[in-house]
């Protein structure tokens, strides 16, 4: 709702945006903003603990040796967190694919312009086109399975893989 209050026709920036013929609400930029706002915490949830565990010693060493901020980021920080970042992006993608609430508010349900797959399933269902709604929902399910497979494959590299627990071994008497 904050995006509607900020960027809507009667919002704080609505008049300024209208004067410049820019559309955020009921357009693709609004969908991107809402999806980013809803899904970004999934990436942050992966990166923050990883970056805290890695520490800043390597970045400080790079800065001491004369690297600038961008060089330090691309040559030290990013390689240290690349698997966690990729894992967070996969989780973010999974959440974004099924996002309905935030996108529904800012998209306006404009057919052929601001539809996402979950919104399209709702439209088809409301039009009593159950076969098409089922087909699109099945496509979403296949995308979810592909995302789970990608998450599982990346899990071991990012430190989130399933670790085999040691089972107690009975000693022979």
């Amino acid at each position: 709702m904050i995006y509607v209050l900020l960027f809507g026709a009667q919002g704080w920036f609505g008049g300024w945006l209208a004067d410049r013929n820019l559309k955020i609400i009921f357009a693709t930029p609004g969908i991107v903003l809402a999806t980013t706002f809803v899904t970004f915490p999934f990436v942050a949830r992966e990166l923050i603990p990883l970056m805290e565990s890695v520490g800043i010693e390597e970045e400080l060493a790079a800065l001491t040796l004369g690297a600038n901020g961008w060089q330090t980021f691309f040559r030290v920080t990013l390689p240290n967190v690349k698997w966690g970042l990729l894992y967070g992006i996969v989780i973010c993608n999974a959440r974004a694919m099924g996002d309905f609430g935030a996108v529904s508010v800012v998209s306006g349900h404009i057919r052929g312009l601001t539809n996402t797959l979950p919104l399209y399933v709702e439209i088809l269902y409301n039009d009593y086109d159950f076969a098409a709604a089922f087909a699109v929902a099945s496509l979403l399910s296949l995308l979810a399975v592909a995302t789970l497979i990608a998450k599982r494959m990346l899990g071991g590299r990012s430190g989130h893989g399933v670790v085999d627990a040691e089972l107690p071994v009975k000693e022979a008497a």
Side-chain angles (χ1 to χ4, degrees):
M1 291 304 292
I2 192 71
Y3 289 122
V4 174
L5 293 173
L6 288 175
F7 304 121
Q10 302 300 317
W12 286 358
F13 302 112
W16 186 84
L17 291 168
D19 292 343
R20 286 151 184 79
N21 201 25
L22 297 172
K23 290 193 74 154
I24 293 181
I25 300 300
F26 307 138
T28 304
I31 294 172
V32 172
L33 277 172
T35 303
T36 301
F37 180 77
V38 169
T39 59
F40 186 73
F42 291 98
V43 177
R45 189 182 77 188
E46 295 301 321
L47 284 182
I48 291 170
L50 178 62
M51 293 179 86
E52 285 176 349
S53 69
V54 169
I56 62 169
E57 291 81 16
E58 292 180 21
E59 284 92 353
L60 292 176
L63 292 172
T64 302
L65 293 171
N68 65 29
W70 288 109
Q71 289 173 328
T72 303
F73 176 73
F74 283 112
R75 293 185 181 172
V76 178
T77 306
L78 195 57
N80 283 340
V81 299
K82 66 181 173 189
W83 294 113
L85 178 62
L86 193 56
Y87 188 79
I89 289 171
V90 167
I91 294 172
C92 179
N93 178 53
R95 174 66 174 90
M97 279 192 305
D99 190 22
F100 184 84
V103 170
S104 179
V105 170
V106 299
S107 73
H109 289 281
I110 302 170
R111 286 187 187 224
L113 187 61
T114 61
N115 279 345
T116 61
L117 282 177
L119 295 177
Y120 192 54
V121 170
E122 180 197 28
I123 289 169
L124 291 171
Y125 183 79
N126 289 338
D127 288 344
Y128 299 103
D129 192 354
F130 300 121
F134 180 77
V136 176
S138 298
L139 176 63
L140 271 172
S141 298
L142 288 173
L143 289 171
V145 168
T147 302
L148 285 173
I149 291 169
K151 179 182 176 281
R152 179 70 177 191
M153 289 172 43
L154 290 172
R157 292 198 170 139
S158 67
H160 293 281
V162 177
V163 178
D164 293 332
E166 289 187 28
L167 298 175
V169 179
K170 291 185 179 181
E171 294 183 18

